Amino acid sequence: MLHLLKQRNSSDGGLSAFRLTAGFLHRELPVRIGQTVIGLKENPSPYDIRQVPQFKALMDNYTDDLSLLADRTPAPSTPATTEQFVDTLRRLKSRSKANMRLLAQGLRELSWAINSQDTRIVPSFLRPNTVRQRAQTCGGPHYYSSTLAYPDLSAPMAYLAPSGKMEMTDPAQWTQGSVQPDGEAKYQSFGAVPSVPQQWAPNKVCSEFCDEASCRNPRLWINDGTQQCAENQTRRFFDWLYSMNLGTQLLIEDHVAILDYGHNLVQIIQPLDIATRAAHDASQICERHYGFPAPVVKIIAPKSGVTTTYVPHHLYSMLFQLVKNALRATVEHHKNRRSAFPVIKLVMSSGDEDVSFKVSDEGGGIPLSQVDAIWSYLETTKGPADASEPLPSTIEKRNALSSITFMQRAIDLPLFGEGDGLPMVRQIARYFGGDLDLVSMEGVGTDAYLHLSRSRNAMEPGLNLHTLL
């Protein structure tokens, strides 16, 4: 990248130097976009997201992006083909905003469909009548052993089939079958439940496969373990989808930013400056929404001159979201007040490995049973996507660099129902080698811990789709 920056002022605008990396992009981007198309088509989630119009449109967009790269853009081997490839990257960059908007709208529509029990999208074994029937007929959700949790065979469950694929099925519909000479249990549909969990014994079931604390802790189940497993599998899929999109978008935007603006996205920044800007903008949104002064955000930074390497607009969006959530929780919890709200603390610290932020509020906290829902893409404070809601234009001005325009437009967002949301904030942090954790005390408040890795050699997280299918 440094070489590209140095060559940008050459007679051809750096295209000759860019040809060295353009070949890599020409090979890599179709693979990433193709994986995204396969993921949407295969749909590891138990919910049929292909019935959601926004996800259909999203898959069509990505299919067209793949065709644009693979079929209509030649390899960048000459100045003319390199310029054509750069134009393709610019088009993909402008399209990515529309795709992310479609994804956000699709999640809202999916959440609404699940809450309304849309039979096209929600499988029968995840609908309330089935859950209530299981609750009335089941003595307990699982049989436990030292290493695996064997499910009650009257409940549908997620398991890893011998083929290696994740399956969600309803063993309550099986009949008692005989054990074949090869030792494999055979069952027929629509009959009594097998008395021995033969089918499950050789397989990892949800409690181990999902690697989720909520699956292993029955106290955290919401009425039914199968619903929690479905939610976890759906979250894992959208974690993967967002990470894949983030990596693809960074590759495209970084190269376009170098050629068009003379700098790359990853920069040496002062995190305190960005935190101050994010807190100020979030406070203005809160004040505009409620019509009275927002709670005070006190910024504490023992080492105010700390620098690190990061993408500025991603750090801004993460802190903006955390402070915005803290402001809303504080005002809602102390709704009888119009002033003298508890102070929200934004603390920044720096160590050898991490730059960390803590956002502390006294907004009432979150019950333990609801903590897992914080990370759900299906929990939303806004209704289903309106068909008349305009999508962003697929053609935008080239000088609208995302890091600048996001920070300029964020102040125009509503207090809730828009923005990245906590699941996406955590995925951004993890993508760059950090993390986001929440510790909450019901009746008091919540502390959010955002960790940024200072390592310049952080590897991209594994994005293997086959771990989900």
Side-chain angles (χ1 to χ4, degrees):
M1 292 301 178
L2 181 61
H3 177 66
L4 291 181
L5 287 172
K6 289 180 178 179
Q7 296 297 318
R8 181 175 178 269
N9 294 324
S10 61
S11 59
D12 62 354
L15 288 178
S16 298
F18 177 73
R19 208 175 306 149
L20 299 173
T21 58
F24 164 75
L25 286 180
H26 191 264
R27 296 187 300 271
E28 178 68 11
L29 291 178
V31 173
R32 288 174 174 265
I33 297 174
Q35 283 279 297
T36 304
V37 173
I38 292 173
L40 288 168
K41 182 178 179 181
E42 295 294 333
N43 181 30
S45 168
Y47 303 107
D48 193 355
I49 66 172
R50 291 164 294 191
Q51 299 299 322
V52 178
Q54 288 80 3
F55 288 125
K56 287 182 180 179
L58 185 64
M59 187 161 62
D60 290 342
N61 285 359
Y62 282 127
T63 302
D64 187 63
D65 290 346
L66 181 61
S67 174
L68 175 63
L69 274 169
D71 301 331
R72 290 174 276 163
T73 304
S77 57
T78 66
T81 56
T82 301
E83 178 61 37
Q84 184 177 352
F85 181 68
V86 172
D87 286 339
T88 296
L89 292 183
R90 293 183 181 119
R91 291 178 63 184
L92 293 176
K93 174 179 175 291
S94 65
R95 289 182 180 189
S96 66
K97 295 179 178 62
N99 289 340
M100 293 305 289
R101 182 72 176 274
L102 271 176
L103 181 55
Q105 289 182 341
L107 285 170
R108 283 161 42 199
E109 189 72 26
L110 177 61
S111 178
W112 180 84
I114 292 172
N115 291 334
S116 62
Q117 297 301 310
D118 189 326
T119 57
R120 299 170 305 154
I121 296 172
V122 181
S124 60
F125 61 79
L126 289 175
R127 295 176 201 153
N129 289 340
T130 309
V131 173
R132 284 195 294 270
Q133 184 180 6
R134 287 200 301 269
Q136 294 169 358
T137 57
C138 298
H142 283 76
Y143 300 109
Y144 288 96
S145 71
S146 59
T147 57
L148 293 178
Y150 294 102
D152 182 341
L153 293 180
S154 63
M157 203 61 195
Y159 69 98
L160 191 64
S163 64
K165 296 188 66 174
M166 183 68 173
E167 301 287 351
M168 291 196 70
T169 187
D170 192 348
Q173 309 235 332
W174 296 345
T175 60
Q176 175 68 55
S178 59
V179 177
Q180 305 300 309
D182 60 2
E184 182 181 359
K186 301 293 185 181
Y187 301 103
Q188 298 175 350
S189 298
F190 306 107
V193 178
S195 58
V196 181
Q198 295 162 310
Q199 172 69 20
W200 303 92
N203 301 321
K204 294 180 180 180
V205 298
C206 171
S207 59
E208 182 174 340
F209 178 84
C210 283
D211 194 27
E212 294 289 339
S214 56
C215 278
R216 296 192 297 270
N217 186 353
R219 180 187 172 190
L220 302 183
W221 289 342
I222 304 174
N223 300 325
D224 183 79
T226 300
Q227 285 185 318
Q228 191 63 41
C229 179
E231 163 62 28
N232 288 334
Q233 184 68 1
T234 302
R235 183 192 56 75
R236 283 161 56 90
F237 169 61
F238 284 108
D239 279 349
W240 172 86
L241 186 61
Y242 264 117
S243 293
M244 180 64 75
N245 276 274
L246 179 60
T248 304
Q249 189 173 347
L250 283 172
L251 282 175
I252 294 171
E253 289 193 358
D254 203 31
H255 284 77
V256 172
I258 290 174
L259 288 174
D260 290 354
Y261 311 107
H263 63 80
N264 55 354
L265 293 183
V266 180
Q267 301 173 25
I268 298 176
I269 61 171
Q270 288 191 313
L272 183 59
D273 292 344
I274 294 177
T276 303
R277 171 84 178 270
H280 173 268
D281 292 350
S283 296
Q284 283 198 307
I285 289 176
C286 180
E287 183 171 339
R288 185 179 67 229
H289 179 85
Y290 290 107
F292 50 79
V296 173
V297 180
K298 183 179 180 180
I299 300 178
I300 304 171
K303 299 179 181 179
S304 58
V306 169
T307 61
T308 190
T309 304
Y310 217 77
V311 180
H313 74 274
H314 283 316
L315 177 57
Y316 173 90
S317 67
M318 291 189 291
L319 292 172
F320 177 79
Q321 186 70 41
L322 294 177
V323 175
K324 191 156 61 86
N325 288 354
L327 287 166
R328 182 190 177 197
T330 300
V331 173
E332 295 289 343
H333 184 62
H334 303 275
K335 55 188 174 184
N336 293 328
R337 304 186 188 183
R338 291 270 176 150
S339 61
F341 291 104
V343 172
I344 295 170
K345 296 179 180 179
L346 172 56
V347 183
M348 186 189 82
S349 67
S350 176
D352 293 335
E353 295 186 6
D354 302 321
V355 174
S356 301
F357 292 90
K358 180 174 74 169
V359 179
S360 300
D361 67 63
E362 296 180 31
I366 306 165
L368 178 63
S369 63
Q370 298 179 21
V371 168
D372 196 54
I374 293 172
W375 310 114
S376 171
Y377 291 97
L378 304 179
E379 296 291 330
T380 179
T381 53
K382 192 169 183 177
D386 187 350
S388 63
E389 185 176 356
L391 290 174
S393 171
T394 56
I395 301 176
E396 298 187 0
K397 294 181 180 180
R398 290 184 182 180
N399 61 356
L401 184 61
S402 59
S403 61
I404 297 174
T405 55
F406 179 86
M407 289 187 280
Q408 289 174 341
R409 295 173 184 171
I411 197 170
D412 296 325
L413 293 174
L415 183 65
F416 56 90
E418 296 285 352
D420 287 337
L422 290 178
M424 184 55 176
V425 170
R426 185 169 68 169
Q427 281 308 108
I428 294 173
R430 288 179 171 179
Y431 186 89
F432 292 106
D435 208 347
L436 173 65
D437 299 306
L438 264 70
V439 178
S440 190
M441 181 181 292
E442 186 180 11
V444 180
T446 302
D447 291 344
Y449 296 86
L450 176 63
H451 304 279
L452 314 179
S453 174
R454 304 193 71 166
S455 173
R456 299 186 181 185
N457 299 313
M459 296 182 62
E460 186 178 34
L463 299 174
N464 188 356
L465 176 61
H466 296 293
T467 61
L468 299 176
L469 297 177

